[in-house]
Amino acid sequence: MLSKTHKIDKKSESTNLTIAVLALNEASMITSCLESASFAEQILVIDSGSSDDTMLIARSLGAEVHSYADWQGFAIQRNRALEHCRQDYVFFLDCDEIIPANLAKEILEIVKQGMVNRGLIRWDDFVFGKRLQGIHQTKGVARLFKIHDILEFRGQVHESAVLKAPEITHVFNTKLIHYSRRTVYQSLLKLGQYSQLAAISLRKSKKNIGVLAGLMHAIPRFLKLYFIKMSFLSGAEGFLYSLFIALEVFFKYCAARYDNDSTANNPVQR
């Protein structure tokens, strides 16, 4: 983790921005995350029923906290967050992410212009305590939205926003700092929950499922990440990163064959 977080002082004028954070038992990460979001007019935490001090810490840092312990998926939690947003723009931030100062400036500039309704970020990933080398993101992930243009969020794991208006997209230059896999234990928890959630959509798609289908998709995914995307440059940490993602793919196809949807009804820490 960074030893020093980046803060931007709020100006007297409104930034017209809400930063919304989905949280579950993230007491160890929530402080750095929310401090990096301090430039927003509204900081909103949507908690999924934390049993640690996540909500207490968030409130002490000035965040507006709402608890929804009846977990129904990431998309539902994001839709719930929208109900509490009071600004024109919302930036969704995960607890294991930190907004660098230069990215904060970019976000504020785009919000001030008011033309974009969809902003894409890319990650600077840290896995098992080491910066991930080799993986190159090109497309980006949508995180900034003009609230009034959002119809709703949909999806089980990799949820996405359905917009009412045509997309006017901006890709941010500065990367978001992402501590995606902090420990093997946390990665195993994520593996189980993500596999179950992804299996729900896979089951509905009528695609081939089961062990063989899982192997056919997981092995190429590992080879692509480790060799073509060159995560091998990160040593053992890069190997673990590629392996866990490949295992998520494998167990997704297995869970679609052998499990049922009820096993995925518990929230997960991202």
Side-chain angles (χ1 to χ4, degrees):
M1 183 181 296
L2 294 181
S3 59
K4 182 178 180 181
T5 56
H6 301 283
K7 294 185 181 181
I8 293 182
D9 295 331
K10 290 184 181 179
K11 298 179 180 179
S12 57
E13 59 192 60
S14 171
T15 60
N16 206 20
L17 173 69
T18 295
I19 291 184
V21 180
L22 304 188
L24 172 67
N25 293 330
E26 288 284 5
S28 64
M29 294 292 294
I30 194 79
T31 297
S32 297
C33 171
L34 296 185
E35 285 181 348
S36 78
S38 63
F39 62 94
E41 187 71 19
Q42 178 189 19
I43 300 177
L44 187 63
V45 173
I46 303 300
D47 190 84
S48 301
S50 292
S51 57
D52 63 6
D53 289 336
T54 296
M55 289 189 283
L56 180 64
I57 294 171
R59 290 192 178 100
S60 73
L61 293 170
E64 178 182 330
V65 180
H66 299 274
S67 180
Y68 294 95
D70 59 326
W71 176 256
Q72 298 180 46
F74 292 112
I76 297 298
Q77 292 297 82
R78 293 202 189 279
N79 290 331
R80 287 166 167 171
L82 293 176
E83 297 175 2
H84 300 285
C85 293
R86 296 191 299 271
Q87 309 303 313
D88 289 343
Y89 277 87
V90 59
F91 186 93
F92 282 97
L93 184 67
D94 287 346
C95 286
D96 59 1
E97 296 170 339
I98 292 175
I99 302 175
N102 286 340
L103 178 57
K105 293 175 182 177
E106 286 188 62
I107 293 170
L108 289 177
E109 183 60 31
I110 291 300
V111 169
K112 183 177 180 180
Q113 293 173 6
M115 301 298 294
V116 169
N117 63 4
R118 182 172 175 265
L120 306 183
I121 61 95
R122 289 167 292 182
W123 282 310
D124 195 5
D125 273 309
F126 287 77
V127 296
F128 308 108
K130 184 175 184 178
R131 186 177 182 274
L132 186 63
Q133 304 288 332
I135 300 294
H136 178 61
Q137 294 175 314
T138 54
K139 294 182 179 179
V141 180
R143 287 297 187 85
L144 179 72
F145 301 94
K146 185 175 285 188
I147 291 175
H148 296 300
D149 283 352
I150 300 177
L151 181 62
E152 65 175 350
F153 280 89
R154 297 175 185 170
Q156 292 293 336
V157 178
H158 302 293
E159 66 282 359
S160 60
V162 180
L163 300 183
K164 305 173 188 175
E167 293 178 0
I168 305 174
T169 300
H170 173 80
V171 181
F172 292 106
N173 293 318
T174 307
K175 292 182 179 180
L176 188 66
I177 298 172
H178 186 207
Y179 295 95
S180 61
R181 296 176 185 276
R182 304 187 293 277
T183 65
V184 171
Y185 178 69
Q186 180 244 358
S187 297
L188 288 169
L189 293 177
K190 181 184 291 189
L191 165 64
Q193 188 69 55
Y194 274 30
S195 299
Q196 292 290 345
L197 289 170
I200 296 174
S201 299
L202 182 61
R203 203 175 290 118
K204 295 175 181 176
S205 70
K206 306 299 182 181
K207 294 181 180 179
N208 290 331
I209 55 177
V211 172
L212 182 58
L215 289 172
M216 290 177 63
H217 287 84
I219 293 175
R221 186 63 181 276
F222 174 82
L223 295 175
K224 180 178 180 180
L225 286 171
Y226 194 65
F227 293 106
I228 298 177
K229 295 288 188 178
M230 297 187 295
S231 68
F232 66 83
L233 293 175
S234 297
E237 291 85 357
F239 176 83
L240 279 174
Y241 170 83
S242 300
L243 178 62
F244 270 115
I245 290 184
L247 287 174
E248 286 179 12
V249 174
F250 172 70
F251 284 113
K252 172 179 71 174
Y253 282 87
C254 293
R257 168 67 177 83
Y258 297 106
D259 296 352
N260 57 62
D261 293 354
S262 63
T263 57
N265 288 336
N266 295 309
V268 65
Q269 296 166 261
R270 288 219 259 207

